[in-house]
């Protein structure tokens, strides 16, 4: 991503954002958002993963960038 720019479709970038959120990798999350990942993708999955990991810096980062705290996932669980 750093050298060649975004080579992944938006959906895949957003899946990577979810993985980075689960790992609490805020610098990677920032890079993915700059490259076109969507913070609210897949029913707010990045925030769900950040909450699951318990990483408060990742949670705060996503909320500051528009993640929906009141979103419901596909099994009607809130964050």
């Amino acid at each position: 991503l750093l050298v060649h720019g975004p080579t992944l479709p938006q959906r895949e970038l957003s899946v990577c954002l979810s993985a980075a959120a689960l790992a609490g990798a805020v610098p990677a999350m920032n890079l993915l958002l700059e490259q076109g990942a969507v913070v609210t993708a897949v029913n707010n999955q990045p925030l769900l993963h950040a909450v699951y990991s318990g990483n408060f810096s990742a949670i705060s980062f996503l909320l500051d960038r528009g993640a929906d705290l009141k979103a419901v996932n596909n099994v009607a669980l809130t964050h």
Side-chain angles (χ1 to χ4, degrees), residues 8-71:
L8 295 172
Q10 188 179 55
R11 168 99 167 111
E12 279 75 15
L13 286 169
S14 298
V15 169
C16 292
L17 178 62
S18 290
L22 184 60
V26 174
M29 293 164 55
N30 190 51
L31 176 64
L32 289 161
L33 288 173
E34 287 174 355
Q35 298 300 322
V38 177
V39 73
T40 57
V42 193
N43 295 324
N44 246 11
Q45 200 72 3
L47 181 60
L48 180 64
H49 284 150
V51 169
Y52 179 79
S53 74
N55 189 300
F56 295 110
S57 60
I59 295 166
S60 178
F61 177 86
L62 292 168
L63 290 173
D64 288 347
R65 281 148 187 86
D68 182 3
L69 188 58
K70 296 180 182 182

